[in-house]
Amino acid sequence: MTTTEHNPDRTADVLIVGAGASGAAVAASLSEAGFDVVCIEQGHWQDSFQYPTAKPDWELRSMSSWSINPNKRRLPEDYPVNVEDSAVDPVMFNGVGGSTIMWVAHTPRLHPSDFRVKSQDGVAEDWPISYEDLEPWYDLNDHVMGCAGISGDPANPPRSERPMPPIPIGKDGEMIAGAFDRLGWHWWPSDSYINSTRYGEGRDSCNFCGHNMMGCFQRAKASTDLTYWPRAIDQGAELVTGARVREITTDSSGRATGVNYLDTEGNDIYRSARAVVMAANGVGTPRLMLMSDSDRHPNGLSNSSGMLGKNLMFHMFGGSSGVFPDHEDPWVGPVANILLSQEFYETDPDRGFLRGYTFQMGRGLGPGAIARSVGGHRAPWGKDHHEVLERRFRNTISLGAIGDDLPEEHNTVTLDKSLTDSSGLPAPKISYKVSENSRALLDHAIAQGRTVLEEAGATEILINPQSRETGWHLLGTARMGNDPERSVVDKHGQSHDVDNLFIVDGSVFVTGGGVNPTPTIQAIALRTADYIINERQDLKA
Amino acid sequence: MTINHTTDLLTAVLDRALPPVGNLPGAGGMGLSEEVIKRCAADFRFSDALDAVVEALPSPGDFAALDDDGRDEALRAVESSNPDAFGLWLDVVYTVYYMQPDVHKRLNWHGRSPQPDGNTMPPWDESILGVIRQREPFWRKT
């Protein structure tokens, strides 16, 4: 293969791989601080007015070209993932904005205890940073992305005011909240990166369309193509789309020198940089670093510890769905940004498992989706179909549990020996087993969820022991730590092995916590950017 | 396999999968077999599933000769022998069915796609926090 250098006269200060949640945040911070930034993204810009939720066949598209699962979507910019040995399918989106295009934008924070699991519960590892270390960047991110929420949650430390009031929880939310109140259990309105009022450039308030996982037509849901990227580009950052990085290049000393990528025509192009920042998610980042092996890095780039690709965490997801025949608030409002409960978030040894989980209320979807699955239960075909569908459609509320998924070295991302992407590059292979702790945690969540739904008046409850297609949160495969023999990067996201290589996506998580991780991922990315700005001026031309 | 072969068979099969209800004919009687075939052709996972189901069913003539119980038994046999393909095929059938305006009307549902009209956001009512605001902080200190 012949490689062409993009511009031999230009060496960027920082080259970022991936334009999603974390890459965009780093690009904006560094470019605003005067760094010469280039980002390489294998996907493309999205046109919000072309999102499928405005099309009559939107439910069918959610099964194919707009599936959350890259193995079903199979766009040219996607890469296949071998999941034969995995209990969970990873889900993601490749494009400017990354998975923030398809997320529900539910944005709780980790708890202080999540950073001290080893100290407090005797398992896994402690993070090299604390909640307090990260708090300023959580706050900054809330303002750039636009957080709707309210202070005073007794399950979390006090925090600064959100820039917008909460998304109203609706009559269905009030019904579930009332059940939590009667049980004496915690609940709180969800923090969301969804506009409850107009906020941000050209972004309207939510119009309660009811289905926000296929892009937001209204631009009310924050995605980084709408938030961080315009700022970064205004400051001179260059974003190259349709460009698939195949290798992080290194010099004879082992330091990163840039990347080789393939454009949409198959041209092999070299871009040089003084530093490389990986922001390609917890599967894509270890994949590319394993592909970037060399004489100086024989087991993959920055893998002297052997930890690269290990300790994959997904967040186990299961729960209960209740049918409420008298419910009169049909399918209105965000699908999962309603309320949460962290009654069972912290460890209680009497429960038979360590750590805990967050309940998230979920709303029903369109009739096609309800027919296909309520909590993993497909409506029967034949004579009973219509009665079952009518009972469930517009009357279904779920309580999903996101459980803390502790790191285990046998849960891995490796390179597949035969499966390749559309460019002929090795696909990642996921090996992932549900641990006994996770199983016990989910069983507890299902039992407690049933209690809440019954208290709220459900006449039928459907149990989902564990969903397969819920690997939204790709964590832990290049974790941070103080010990170079047990971690891949330090507390600033800087590689232990390569001092001009940084990782800012979910790969660096040490433990997973029991909440959606994106605000934490972005806070970590912003913190790393500030470290580069303040401590690594040597990377600036 | 010819289109007519598949269409004829599917018409009969769809009437068993989604039988008549109220004033609506079954999904086959609504003429959805061609729509199902067209939608399956757009995604090879769907078309593979459709092919697997059709291959495993009796011929159109044999299927037509069965009574209702026999037709259901034939469908159950495919569902049992190849649950993944049958399930995916059924998901496509369900989704196509619930795209139909006549079905929306029977469900007394507007049938609009979520956007661009959306719905009206209700006002935020802080009084709903009355009970939970009385609880003392209980997050675990480090």
Side-chain angles (χ1 to χ4, degrees):
Chain A
M1 184 180 290
T2 302
T3 303
T4 305
E5 185 162 2
H6 171 73
N7 181 352
D9 297 327
R10 177 187 173 197
T11 294
D13 293 334
V14 175
L15 185 148
I16 302 166
V17 181
S22 59
V26 171
S29 283
L30 293 182
S31 58
E32 286 171 356
F35 282 75
D36 178 15
V37 173
V38 61
C39 178
I40 309 294
E41 165 57 50
Q42 62 189 330
H44 304 277
W45 286 95
Q46 303 299 310
D47 177 354
S48 59
F49 297 112
Q50 296 301 318
Y51 285 139
T53 45
K55 301 182 188 307
D57 61 350
W58 63 283
E59 289 204 273
L60 196 61
R61 291 178 192 234
S62 73
M63 297 171 61
S64 55
S65 59
W66 273 87
S67 170
I68 56 176
N69 185 337
N71 285 344
K72 295 180 178 175
R73 196 171 57 235
R74 287 186 315 210
L75 299 175
E77 57 266 36
D78 292 320
Y79 52 85
V81 183
N82 182 338
V83 293
E84 289 173 1
D85 293 334
S86 178
V88 175
D89 287 351
V91 298
M92 64 182 82
F93 186 77
N94 294 303
V96 179
S99 295
T100 63
I101 299 294
M102 300 188 93
W103 68 336
V104 296
H106 199 192
T107 55
R109 296 181 179 183
L110 289 179
H111 286 207
S113 66
D114 288 317
F115 296 85
R116 296 289 176 267
V117 173
K118 178 75 170 178
S119 299
Q120 294 201 329
D121 295 318
V123 293
E125 303 277 350
D126 287 346
W127 292 54
I129 58 175
S130 66
Y131 175 85
E132 291 75 18
D133 288 334
L134 214 47
E135 192 171 12
W137 290 277
Y138 270 130
D139 289 349
L140 173 60
N141 195 59
D142 279 356
H143 281 79
V144 177
M145 295 291 280
C147 185
I150 190 165
S151 298
D153 179 0
N156 281 271
R159 55 187 268 196
S160 59
E161 291 294 317
R162 284 71 156 177
M164 287 176 282
I167 301 286
I169 67 172
K171 289 180 182 172
D172 48 357
E174 291 176 20
M175 185 167 68
I176 298 299
F180 277 115
D181 279 344
R182 290 191 294 278
L183 291 165
W185 291 359
H186 169 262
W187 74 274
W188 199 254
S190 295
D191 280 305
S192 303
Y193 287 170
I194 295 178
N195 285 359
S196 59
T197 60
R198 290 181 69 89
Y199 187 88
E201 184 70 29
R203 297 182 53 214
D204 212 335
S205 59
C206 176
N207 69 353
F208 261 47
C209 80
H211 193 85
N212 58 2
M213 288 178 66
M214 300 166 75
C216 181
F217 189 93
Q218 228 15 37
R219 299 181 171 212
K221 183 181 77 172
S223 48
T224 59
D225 58 328
L226 304 176
T227 56
Y228 280 108
W229 273 115
R231 294 170 59 150
I233 290 168
D234 278 353
Q235 294 299 318
E238 178 187 2
L239 175 52
V240 183
T241 59
R244 172 172 279 155
V245 176
R246 65 172 181 82
E247 179 187 25
I248 304 161
T249 55
T250 52
D251 62 19
S252 58
S253 70
R255 296 187 84 230
T257 56
V259 301
N260 288 323
Y261 70 86
L262 301 165
D263 68 13
T264 50
E265 277 80 46
N267 300 307
D268 192 48
I269 298 168
Y270 171 65
R271 291 292 297 250
S272 62
R274 293 179 183 81
V276 171
V277 174
M278 293 302 300
N281 82 40
V283 172
T285 285
R287 175 201 184 206
L288 182 54
M289 290 171 65
L290 289 168
M291 286 160 58
S292 301
D293 58 346
S294 65
D295 289 344
R296 291 298 301 255
H297 304 285
N299 299 316
L301 188 58
S302 191
N303 194 22
S304 63
S305 65
M307 288 290 117
L308 181 63
K310 293 182 178 174
N311 300 301
L312 173 66
M313 299 173 284
F314 274 127
H315 280 145
M316 305 308 303
F317 192 88
S320 315
S321 297
V323 178
F324 296 83
D326 299 326
H327 178 46
E328 295 177 353
D329 193 25
W331 183 38
V332 168
V335 69
N337 307 62
I338 309 155
L339 61 84
L340 56 72
S341 170
Q342 295 187 324
E343 182 66 28
F344 304 105
Y345 194 87
E346 304 290 0
T347 296
D348 179 344
D350 291 342
R351 294 184 195 133
F353 57 88
L354 295 171
R355 307 303 299 159
Y357 57 88
T358 297
F359 276 128
Q360 291 182 359
M361 176 184 157
R363 292 192 166 102
L365 301 170
I370 292 290
R372 296 196 302 263
S373 175
V374 172
H377 299 264
R378 184 184 284 117
W381 59 269
K383 63 181 174 54
D384 295 330
H385 176 85
H386 299 294
E387 189 273 332
V388 170
L389 192 286
E390 286 171 37
R391 203 168 65 229
R392 294 178 183 173
F393 178 50
R394 294 184 292 197
N395 297 322
T396 301
I397 293 171
S398 65
L399 272 184
I402 291 186
D404 195 343
D405 181 20
L406 295 170
E408 297 180 296
E409 288 190 20
H410 60 79
N411 291 332
T412 60
V413 176
T414 55
L415 297 182
D416 194 280
K417 290 183 171 60
S418 54
L419 187 66
T420 59
D421 64 20
S422 58
S423 304
L425 303 175
K429 178 180 182 184
I430 305 294
S431 299
Y432 181 87
K433 293 184 175 67
V434 178
S435 70
E436 288 183 15
N437 193 71
S438 291
R439 187 63 267 159
L441 182 154
L442 279 181
D443 288 344
H444 186 273
I446 288 165
Q448 306 312 312
R450 173 186 284 275
T451 299
V452 177
L453 294 170
E454 287 176 346
E455 175 64 31
T459 57
E460 177 186 3
I461 291 177
L462 301 158
I463 300 300
N464 185 4
Q466 184 236 320
S467 299
R468 182 174 178 90
E469 202 170 78
T470 52
W472 293 292
H473 308 152
L474 311 170
L475 308 171
T477 50
R479 69 184 180 190
M480 61 166 60
N482 293 323
D483 182 356
E485 295 186 359
R486 297 288 301 158
S487 56
V488 178
V489 297
D490 68 11
K491 64 182 180 181
H492 300 297
Q494 178 176 307
S495 161
H496 288 304
D497 298 352
V498 182
D499 76 351
N500 65 342
L501 175 68
F502 298 83
I503 304 175
V504 296
D505 55 41
S507 307
V508 304
F509 274 45
V510 180
T511 54
V515 294
N516 314 58
T518 302
T520 305
I521 290 171
Q522 292 184 297
I524 288 170
L526 292 169
R527 184 174 181 272
T528 292
D530 274 5
Y531 170 76
I532 293 172
I533 293 165
N534 295 319
E535 306 294 335
R536 296 301 305 269
Q537 285 287 324
D538 59 299
L539 300 174
K540 202 172 183 181
Chain B
M1 193 176 305
T2 67
I3 290 291
N4 283 343
H5 174 105
T6 305
T7 305
D8 292 348
L9 180 61
L10 268 189
T11 297
V13 166
L14 292 185
D15 276 340
R16 298 309 304 159
L18 292 165
V21 59
N23 296 325
L24 276 183
M30 291 171 65
L32 296 184
S33 53
E34 289 189 11
E35 177 76 1
V36 168
I37 292 168
K38 185 181 91 174
R39 295 291 183 171
C40 285
D43 185 313
F44 88 85
R45 289 186 312 117
F46 300 167
S47 60
D48 284 355
L50 172 63
D51 288 347
V53 169
V54 170
E55 292 280 354
L57 284 166
S59 69
D62 290 345
F63 193 83
L66 298 169
D67 61 14
D68 285 350
D69 288 344
R71 294 179 184 192
D72 288 353
E73 189 55 40
L75 270 174
R76 275 193 290 273
V78 180
E79 184 176 29
S80 172
S81 64
N82 196 344
D84 290 343
F86 187 88
L88 181 55
W89 167 80
L90 194 59
D91 284 347
V92 176
V93 168
Y94 282 174
T95 309
V96 168
Y97 182 75
Y98 286 106
M99 286 163 53
Q100 307 307 312
D102 287 346
V103 177
H104 300 162
K105 191 174 174 184
R106 201 192 69 77
L107 290 172
N108 193 27
W109 177 54
H110 57 66
R112 297 192 309 266
S113 55
Q115 295 286 5
D117 293 343
N119 299 291
T120 302
M121 187 190 298
W124 162 246
D125 174 12
E126 192 155 344
S127 71
I128 60 174
L129 297 175
V131 173
I132 189 60
R133 276 211 187 276
Q134 295 171 26
R135 185 160 176 180
E136 292 295 317
F138 65 100
W139 52 279
R140 191 178 178 189
K141 309 289 192 298
T142 56

